[in-house]
Amino acid sequence: MDIINWQWLLVISSSLILFFLSPLAKTTDQFFKAVNQKKAPNTLVLTGSLIISWIFAKSITNAANLGLSFGIVGGVAYAGYYLSFAVAGVIIYQLRVKGGFTSIHQFLTSRFGKKAVAVFSILIAFRLFNEVWSNTMVIGSYFGEQESASYYWSILVFTILTLGYALKGGLSSSIFTDVIQMVLFSVLLIIILATIFSAEEFTTKEIISSGTWSFELGLNLFFAALIQSFSYPFHDPVLTDRGFISSPKVTRKSFLWASILGAICIILFSVIGVYAQSQGMKGQAAVEVGKALGVVILLVINFIMITSAASTLDSTFSSFSKLLSVDLNLGKTVSFGRISMIIVAVLGTLPVFFGAEILSATTISGTMVIGLTPVFIFWNIKVPKISFYASVSCGLIFGILLVFNKFPESLIFTKGKYADLLWVNLWGILSCIILYFIPKWIKK
């Protein structure tokens, strides 16, 4: 039995098992809020769900590749994004306890009005739409070359199977399967790392000395990640939806733990890239290491990609259905929620068939949403409604300047890869904050 057949077996069997184990949601509370037997998820369940829904196939592929490019510094740099959990946990706790808000949308409506909510909803709908194809394409790459029949078939089958159990239970399914996927992820990661460390001449000392702590070799990305963490989590409903389902204290605790443990998982996964670097490998780090360490490890790496992609995909489906049904109040029924899931699955898969140009054209990057920073960080300061639009528009402009390489080089003060990302975000956030407060100052 060749490797591709084993991969098909893994995808189909794991999805079917999750389908049969998933709870069937009969009420809107079960489907949209993951309330089962009148109980919300506890700290352990919520922490696991947060981590695995954010350790998506794309992010662990990136972590391994950054380990290959920059050594352990690359992994630490990418782990900087996990500050997002701590920021979101603290702000959501304050919104709930001090502000009395029950959702991000309720907060935005009360402060900035319905039009602001519409703008915000478009941003997060794009984000969810991106999540679908960016994760399924990683799965496709393990089945064949881009644009090959096996590549397309694997994406379609994987999306349909994941959609199956998401339709069954909504957010209840998503959180229930997250726990299983988190345990699987941990076990598989330990197997991969144990195999790497049993290889001759690969030691912890080699990992520590594998990178250079300089801006050019990874720190540009590290500081950019930290800066983006103050806006990034708020345009990701997969993360923020989980901030309103358990009690405020359980939520804050879970988010803070997820911040630390998620970062550790990413750094550990980047060790795969560090190992690839030490062996002089080129290309996709996870794939190359898998091939070098034999069929079993390649399958384990594949399985880790499948579990992480599935956990993000089912969370994306449930967040999109909650966005349309509950947040935008278009139809708060379980059947409408299920129809919404099918819509995002279809729309999110279409770009895969239209090539790279359409993908880059539909991407909302982390830089484009930096305008949300003052909106949430200074949530307690009353400002005119125009402040929201000024800040969000400013962020979008800086994001577009970055995408089209139009940002003035005289304002970039470090060298190397990601230097533009760091400085566009730094100047961008400063501009957004100033623009956010100008209407308030004028009013005085």
Side-chain angles (χ1 to χ4, degrees), residues 223-270:
F223 289 112
L226 294 183
I227 292 169
Q228 283 192 1
S229 293
F230 289 92
S231 56
Y232 199 84
F234 300 107
H235 92 301
D236 184 6
V238 165
L239 186 147
T240 53
D241 284 352
R242 284 163 169 72
F244 292 90
I245 51 180
S246 297
S247 74
K249 276 192 173 161
V250 164
T251 302
R252 185 174 60 179
K253 199 170 163 189
S254 302
F255 271 75
L256 292 173
W257 272 114
S259 193
I260 298 162
L261 298 173
I264 291 169
C265 287
I266 284 293
I267 293 167
L268 288 175
F269 206 87
S270 73

Side-chain angles (χ1 to χ4, degrees), residues 110-132:
S110 76
R111 284 290 162 84
F112 304 106
K114 288 197 169 163
K115 284 180 184 161
V117 170
V119 172
F120 178 73
S121 299
I122 291 165
L123 284 175
I124 63 175
F126 258 108
R127 158 83 188 181
L128 292 168
F129 169 74
N130 290 338
E131 287 289 17
V132 178

Side-chain angles (χ1 to χ4, degrees), residues 308-331:
S308 55
S311 70
T312 306
L313 206 55
D314 64 42
S315 301
T316 302
F317 294 151
S318 51
S319 286
F320 188 80
S321 75
K322 179 180 169 285
L323 172 68
L324 295 193
S325 307
V326 181
D327 298 330
L328 298 177
N329 208 6
L330 297 178

Side-chain angles (χ1 to χ4, degrees), residues 35-255:
V35 173
N36 281 313
Q37 285 141 359
K38 298 193 176 164
K39 275 207 260 170
N42 60 29
T43 307
L44 191 66
V45 170
L46 192 57
T47 306
S49 175
L50 282 164
I51 296 170
I52 197 67
S53 62
W54 244 45
I55 296 183
F56 33 98
K58 190 83 168 46
S59 68
I60 54 181
T61 303
N62 287 346
N65 288 342
L66 285 163
L68 173 61
S69 302
F70 301 117
I72 197 66
V73 185
V76 172
Y78 201 58
Y81 278 106
Y82 282 75
L83 175 63
S84 294
F85 280 120
V87 172
V90 170
I91 299 290
I92 288 172
Y93 178 82
Q94 291 178 350
L95 283 174
R96 291 177 66 180
V97 174
K98 293 180 185 169
F101 298 108
T102 55
S103 73
I104 296 281
H105 279 72
Q106 189 201 3
F107 157 67
L108 290 173
T109 310
S110 76
R111 284 290 162 84
F112 304 106
K114 288 197 169 163
K115 284 180 184 161
V117 170
V119 172
F120 178 73
S121 299
I122 291 165
L123 284 175
I124 63 175
F126 258 108
R127 158 83 188 181
L128 292 168
F129 169 74
N130 290 338
E131 287 289 17
V132 178
W133 56 256
S134 65
N135 278 285
T136 56
M137 281 173 71
V138 175
I139 298 298
S141 68
Y142 280 82
F143 282 85
E145 291 296 315
Q146 262 190 341
E147 298 186 7
S148 65
S150 54
Y151 171 81
Y152 288 131
W153 274 114
S154 61
I155 288 174
L156 287 173
V157 171
F158 177 72
T159 307
I160 290 164
L161 288 169
T162 308
L163 179 64
Y165 72 78
L167 287 171
K168 188 179 173 190
L171 192 59
S172 289
S173 270
S174 184
I175 286 182
F176 172 79
T177 54
D178 280 349
V179 177
I180 299 170
Q181 286 154 337
M182 187 65 216
V183 172
L184 261 175
F185 177 86
S186 309
V187 172
L188 296 171
L189 183 57
I190 290 164
I191 293 169
I192 297 167
L193 291 174
T195 312
I196 285 174
F197 280 109
S198 64
E200 63 274 20
E201 294 166 15
F202 188 66
T203 58
T204 343
K205 193 178 170 194
E206 197 164 344
I207 295 171
I208 294 163
S209 61
S210 65
T212 309
W213 296 88
S214 69
F215 278 98
E216 295 90 298
L217 296 171
L219 289 184
N220 278 326
L221 178 63
F222 177 66
F223 289 112
L226 294 183
I227 292 169
Q228 283 192 1
S229 293
F230 289 92
S231 56
Y232 199 84
F234 300 107
H235 92 301
D236 184 6
V238 165
L239 186 147
T240 53
D241 284 352
R242 284 163 169 72
F244 292 90
I245 51 180
S246 297
S247 74
K249 276 192 173 161
V250 164
T251 302
R252 185 174 60 179
K253 199 170 163 189
S254 302
F255 271 75

Side-chain angles (χ1 to χ4, degrees), residues 381-402:
I381 300 172
K382 291 257 167 65
V383 291
K385 289 181 180 177
I386 189 76
S387 293
F388 175 88
Y389 300 100
S391 183
V392 170
S393 308
C394 177
L396 282 168
I397 291 164
F398 273 88
I400 292 162
L401 288 174
L402 178 66

